[in-house]
């Protein structure tokens, strides 16, 4: 049973998760590009910070250095916004 569950996770859930993570990351990058966020967007900043933490876990697990570098830049961007 475990092999069947792993196959389902690997074949179906991981690609969907990857797509969702990438879409979310792209949305945040677009917000940054359009300079939508500022210090007053506390809820959005908290949400993005949590997303960055979760995304780092995910992209570390699949060894995606490109997106990890993007997340590092986003972390600095959020830090700059809050200071």
């Amino acid at each position: 049973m475990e092999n069947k569950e792993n196959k389902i996770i690997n074949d179906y859930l991981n690609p969907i998760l990857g797509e969702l993570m990438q879409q979310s990351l792209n949305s945040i990058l677009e917000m940054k590009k359009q300079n939508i966020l500022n210090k007053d967007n506390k809820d959005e900043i908290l949400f993005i910070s949590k997303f960055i933490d979760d995304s780092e876990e995910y992209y570390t697990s699949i060894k995606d250095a490109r997106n990890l570098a993007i997340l590092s830049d986003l972390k600095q961007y959020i830090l700059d916004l809050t200071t």
Side-chain angles (χ1 to χ4, degrees):
M1 187 69 163
E2 187 175 314
N3 285 339
K4 187 175 183 179
E5 289 172 357
N6 285 340
K7 182 169 177 33
I8 290 170
I9 290 169
N10 289 331
D11 291 351
Y12 299 103
L13 298 179
N14 282 342
I16 291 169
L17 176 61
E19 287 177 34
L20 289 172
M21 295 292 279
Q22 193 61 52
Q23 288 173 1
S24 298
L25 182 55
N26 290 343
S27 294
I28 293 169
L29 289 171
E30 188 61 30
M31 290 171 75
K32 178 184 174 195
K33 181 180 171 185
Q34 293 182 14
N35 205 21
I36 292 174
L37 294 174
N38 60 49
K39 283 184 178 185
D40 298 331
N41 300 107
K42 290 179 182 16
D43 290 339
E44 289 87 350
I45 291 171
L46 286 172
F47 176 81
I48 292 170
S49 295
K50 176 71 173 128
F51 171 79
I52 290 171
D53 291 341
D54 293 343
S55 296
E56 281 182 322
E57 263 185 60
Y58 173 75
Y59 288 121
T60 298
S61 74
I62 63 168
K63 297 173 179 57
D64 185 335
R66 179 184 170 275
N67 280 329
L68 286 170
I70 290 170
L71 289 169
S72 178
D73 288 344
L74 279 175
K75 252 186 174 175
Q76 186 60 51
Y77 169 68
I78 294 296
L79 182 63
D80 291 345
L81 275 179
T82 58
T83 56

